[in-house]
């Protein structure tokens, strides 16, 4: 029997500046990502100016996922879905376990994806099951569900409707690095894809290299979602590269191109 827990999250409220865009960059912003070069230009902009306040955190009561009337969630909202799965006597790593969970989208118009898994975390329980917490972003009106492939069990299902508050956030990769004062620096990607140490800090004369001593650990926040929700990772500088200090959470399993660009910038090896 799976357990579900859903709650709405909010994105970060850091104040940022907006660098100028050339006409060509504006055109590319609206194109689908087809090749690696186009992905680097259209995904990684390195700026993000919030146009509205994030929604207040709300708690939705658990409901029977097999009900004929699934719960309703708005586009640009996020949910945390928690389940416990029996994956055998030796549960696989989290990134492999996520392949056992099928994402099913039924858009109201076209064949668009209606939601995405932004990150996943969890651990093995005392009885050998894998406890998984999945952070979801609602993207398009329609139906969305998560199904355990081995048993066909519906782990989560929701009717996704248009937002009644404000337009969704544009999907563009935005990266913040926490500083010792407990605030965040916004990394400026207006000059294109570069190694993270060479990226300028937005609205400052410095670069990441200037403000990140070798061996120091910082928390990075990555945003690439309709809900504008943060995905966080602890990262340590190791010479001219960086390394995550923990394997979890699994980041952007449904947006591999965004993750590829993040790995390229951060100097992380491919899995």
């Amino acid at each position: 029997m799976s357990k579900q827990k859903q709650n709405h999250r909010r994105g970060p409220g850091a104040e940022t500046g907006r660098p100028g865009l050339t006409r060509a960059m504006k055109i590319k912003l609206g194109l689908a990502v087809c090749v690696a070069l186009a992905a680097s230009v259209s995904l990684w902009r390195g700026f993000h100016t919030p146009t509205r306040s994030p929604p207040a955190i709300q708690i939705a009561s658990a409901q029977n996922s097999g009900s004929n009337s699934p719960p309703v969630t708005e586009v640009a909202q996020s949910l945390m879905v928690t389940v416990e799965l029996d994956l055998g006597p030796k549960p696989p790593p989290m990134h492999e376990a996520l392949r056992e969970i099928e994402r099913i989208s039924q858009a109201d118009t076209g064949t668009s994806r209606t939601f995405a898994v932004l990150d996943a975390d969890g651990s093995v329980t005392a009885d050998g099951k894998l406890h998984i917490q999945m952070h979801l972003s609602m993207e398009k009106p329609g139906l969305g569900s998560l199904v355990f492939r081995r048993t066909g069990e519906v782990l989560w299902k929701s009717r996704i409707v248009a937002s009644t508050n404000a337009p969704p956030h544009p999907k563009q990769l935005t990266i913040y690095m926490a500083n010792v004062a407990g605030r965040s620096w916004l990394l400026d990607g207006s000059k294109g894809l570069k190694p993270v140490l060479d990226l300028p800090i937005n609205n400052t004369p410095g670069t990441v290299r200037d403000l990140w001593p070798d061996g120091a650990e910082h928390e990075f926040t990555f945003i690439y979602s309709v809900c504008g929700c943060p995905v966080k990772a602890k990262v340590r500088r190791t010479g001219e590269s960086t390394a995550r200090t923990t394997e979890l959470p699994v980041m952007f399993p449904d947006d591999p191109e965004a993750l590829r660009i993040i790995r390229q910038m951060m100097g992380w090896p491919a899995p």
Side-chain angles (χ1 to χ4, degrees):
M1 179 66 67
S2 66
K3 299 188 294 186
Q4 298 180 41
K5 177 177 159 188
Q6 304 175 3
N7 64 282
H8 299 276
R9 282 190 174 182
R10 66 175 75 195
E15 296 181 356
T16 67
R18 180 184 293 272
L21 291 175
T22 66
R23 182 171 180 275
M25 290 172 72
K26 288 180 180 178
I27 293 173
K28 288 181 180 178
L29 184 61
L31 296 178
V33 177
C34 298
V35 295
L37 179 59
S40 300
V41 175
S42 62
L43 292 182
W44 168 232
R45 293 298 178 190
F47 64 84
H48 179 71
T49 302
T51 57
R52 66 182 188 276
S53 299
I57 296 177
Q58 301 178 37
I59 305 288
S61 60
Q63 300 187 36
N64 182 0
S65 59
S67 170
N68 290 329
S69 300
V72 174
T73 312
E74 292 187 5
V75 169
Q77 290 185 340
S78 64
L79 295 173
M80 183 67 76
V81 176
T82 301
V83 298
E84 288 184 1
L85 302 180
D86 186 353
L87 293 169
K90 188 178 179 181
M94 186 65 67
H95 69 277
E96 294 182 12
L98 289 175
R99 297 172 190 156
E100 298 284 350
I101 300 175
E102 183 178 7
R103 284 73 130 175
I104 299 177
S105 292
Q106 296 174 275
D108 287 347
T109 58
T111 58
S112 302
R113 186 175 71 184
T114 58
F115 71 99
V117 178
L118 301 182
D119 62 64
D121 204 341
S123 59
V124 180
T125 65
D127 59 356
K129 293 182 180 179
L130 188 60
H131 177 89
I132 305 177
Q133 299 175 136
M134 291 169 286
H135 183 195
L136 312 184
S137 173
M138 306 298 110
E139 296 189 335
K140 297 284 185 180
L143 287 173
S145 60
L146 297 170
V147 176
F148 187 26
R149 294 181 188 275
R150 296 192 183 188
T151 64
E153 179 186 5
V154 177
L155 306 174
W156 164 82
K157 185 175 184 179
S158 184
R159 158 61 64 179
I160 303 164
V161 299
S163 175
T164 57
N165 295 319
H169 286 276
K171 285 188 71 172
Q172 58 192 31
L173 181 59
T174 308
I175 303 177
Y176 298 89
M177 182 175 77
N179 60 34
V180 293
R183 304 192 60 167
S184 292
W185 288 306
L186 175 66
L187 308 193
D188 182 356
S190 62
K191 295 179 176 60
L193 187 63
K194 292 184 177 182
V196 66
L197 295 176
D198 295 329
L199 286 173
I201 302 294
N202 202 49
N203 294 330
T204 77
T207 65
V208 172
R209 182 187 304 279
D210 301 327
L211 300 171
W212 193 0
D214 191 12
E217 179 183 294
H218 284 284
E219 182 177 74
F220 277 72
T221 298
F222 303 91
I223 299 175
Y224 186 70
S225 61
V226 171
C227 65
C229 302
V231 173
K232 297 179 181 291
K234 299 282 190 179
V235 185
R236 178 176 289 112
R237 178 178 173 182
T238 56
E240 290 299 298
S241 189
T242 77
R244 293 187 63 178
T245 57
T246 59
E247 294 182 356
L248 295 176
V250 174
M251 298 168 52
F252 301 110
D254 290 351
D255 285 293
E257 189 60 30
L259 184 57
R260 185 194 66 79
I261 292 172
I262 291 170
R263 285 192 176 122
Q264 184 176 344
M265 284 193 299
M266 302 299 290
W268 299 343

